[in-house]
Amino acid sequence: MKVKKIPQRMCLGCMEMKPKKELIRVVRNKEGEVKLDLTGKAPGRGAYICRSVECFEKAYKGKKFEKALEVNISPEVYEKLKEELQRG
């Protein structure tokens, strides 16, 4: 019997490869809106981070979200994402 492959994704904060289910997806849709995708199924360009605020801060400081999602992100959107991450 074949062993099922577990999809791996890289966290933008700590740059570690982890199983996709352990990470949170940040997605940019066609309209250019950036938001958290807790289901991992929303259409659009995605980037992944760990569920820790530290990884979010590292990705924010290095502008890794903007590079990965190919869009300029305003500080208000970052605050909203951080708030959602702390709640979720």
Side-chain angles (χ1 to χ4, degrees), residues 12 16 21 29 32 39 49 62 66 75 88:
L12 289 179
E16 287 182 25
K21 297 237 184 236
N29 60 16
T39 64
I49 55 166
E66 293 185 6

Side-chain angles (χ1 to χ4, degrees), residues 1 4 8-9 11 16-17 20 27-28 36-37 42 57-62 67 72 77 79-80 84 88:
M1 190 144 161
K4 190 172 181 185
Q8 299 278 312
R9 298 291 182 267
C11 171
E16 287 182 25
M17 293 295 285
K20 187 177 172 182
V27 67
R28 171 186 54 91
L36 281 185
D37 174 22
E57 293 292 335
K58 283 183 190 175
Y60 172 65
K61 286 178 184 169
K67 291 174 190 165
N72 289 328
V77 173
E79 286 301 316
K80 186 177 168 192
E84 284 183 45

Side-chain angles (χ1 to χ4, degrees), residues 15-27:
M15 301 305 283
E16 287 182 25
M17 293 295 285
K18 297 187 179 184
K20 187 177 172 182
K21 297 237 184 236
E22 290 180 14
L23 301 172
I24 295 176
R25 185 168 182 246
V26 180
V27 67

Side-chain angles (χ1 to χ4, degrees), residues 9-13 20 23-29 32-52 55-57 59-60 64-71 73-74 77-82 84-85:
R9 298 291 182 267
M10 184 181 288
C11 171
L12 289 179
K20 187 177 172 182
L23 301 172
I24 295 176
R25 185 168 182 246
V26 180
V27 67
R28 171 186 54 91
N29 60 16
E33 297 171 336
V34 177
K35 56 187 171 187
L36 281 185
D37 174 22
L38 299 174
T39 64
K41 304 207 186 263
R45 184 166 184 86
Y48 293 85
I49 55 166
C50 295
R51 296 177 184 270
S52 70
C55 283
F56 180 84
E57 293 292 335
Y60 172 65
K64 293 181 181 178
F65 286 115
E66 293 185 6
K67 291 174 190 165
L69 299 175
E70 300 172 349
V71 68
I73 303 173
S74 67
V77 173
Y78 276 119
E79 286 301 316
K80 186 177 168 192
L81 290 174
K82 185 175 178 181
E84 284 183 45
L85 183 65

